Amino acid sequence: MCGIVGFTGKHQAAPILLDGLSKLEYRGYDSAGIAVRDGDKETEVIKAKGRLKVLIEKTNGGESVPGTCGIGHTRWATHGEPSETNAHPHVSENGNVVAVHNGIIENYRELIADYDLADTLKSETDSEVVAALLNRFYEGNPEEAIKKTVSKLKGTFALVILFEDQKDVIYSTRNVSPIVATICKEGA
Ligand code: GLU
């Protein structure tokens, strides 16, 4: 079972994401990754196969990935071997959508065929199809793109999503798989 963490606020996101993921390590995983955005700069995605320790070392405890908004994931592979390419977050072909997913998209093969997505995909996962579909349906309104995407999905999912042109905003939706969202008093 994977773990997902997201953070947006006043603090540096990467150390918070890594700390959150370490608290979810007990759930089991085979790879990990984070995506962090720093103002108007392109979202940075760092992934590593194996222990979270590898990702922590790769990012110098998160210090090498500045930014105050981000998402993180520990993956338990169900579709596609454990590898850096198959690790989450997944980025859509033009970089507009970055997403992490917990669960299984049962109809991902049909979706690839129906929406002609094969050429846009880099991994073997069911999850990347969700990022590709969100991107396909995105016309400037994240909620609409999410609703349309979710209406096409069969299976279980907790999704946490960044849209490149929606600075500092994290989107999330779920079916069966749980998600918890909180707001800190000081808006941190
Ligand atoms: N089915 C997805 C994959 O294989 C997500 C697995 C998970 O929940 O970690 O990448």
Side-chain angles (χ1 to χ4, degrees):
M1 282 213 294
C2 87
I4 291 178
V5 179
F7 174 83
T8 186
K10 293 177 188 157
H11 300 294
Q12 287 297 300
I16 293 171
L17 299 176
L18 294 169
D19 184 50
L21 291 178
S22 73
K23 292 192 169 85
L24 297 172
E25 273 193 296
Y26 72 92
R27 291 163 62 90
Y29 64 99
D30 51 60
S31 53
I34 56 172
V36 178
R37 62 196 323 171
D38 187 11
D40 289 334
K41 291 187 196 144
E42 203 173 302
T43 303
E44 205 168 339
V45 178
I46 319 273
K47 312 188 205 186
K49 186 182 164 190
R51 308 301 300 168
L52 187 59
K53 196 168 152 268
V54 182
L55 185 66
I56 292 172
E57 280 166 12
K58 220 172 168 179
T59 58
N60 192 21
E63 276 185 30
S64 67
V65 202
T68 56
C69 175
I71 59 179
H73 185 270
T74 44
R75 176 178 185 237
W76 181 285
T78 63
H79 294 68
E81 60 170 8
S83 69
E84 201 170 303
T85 306
N86 288 337
H88 303 211
H90 291 291
V91 184
S92 67
E93 59 175 336
N94 51 9
N96 279 344
V97 176
V98 180
V100 294
H101 165 231
N102 166 230
I104 292 176
I105 306 301
E106 286 158 14
N107 61 335
Y108 78 106
R109 285 209 173 87
E110 291 92 311
L111 293 171
I112 294 173
D114 290 353
Y115 293 94
D116 200 15
L117 297 171
D119 289 346
T120 74
L121 304 173
K122 292 182 272 310
S123 78
E124 302 162 308
T125 65
D126 52 332
S127 310
E128 191 186 2
V129 174
V130 181
L133 214 52
L134 283 163
N135 178 52
R136 182 63 58 87
F137 293 146
Y138 187 56
E139 289 172 345
N141 184 330
E143 284 91 350
E144 286 305 318
I146 291 169
K147 272 189 212 155
K148 200 161 172 190
T149 300
V150 164
S151 75
K152 310 289 178 201
L153 302 180
K154 292 201 178 96
T156 58
F157 49 86
L159 291 162
V160 179
I161 308 153
L162 302 175
F163 289 87
E164 192 65 19
D165 61 353
Q166 306 291 328
K167 298 288 170 215
D168 301 328
V169 186
I170 296 175
Y171 293 83
S172 183
T173 185
R174 59 175 285 271
N175 179 44
V176 183
S177 307
I179 282 279
V180 177
T182 64
I183 301 174
C184 291
K185 254 191 189 157
E186 68 275 26

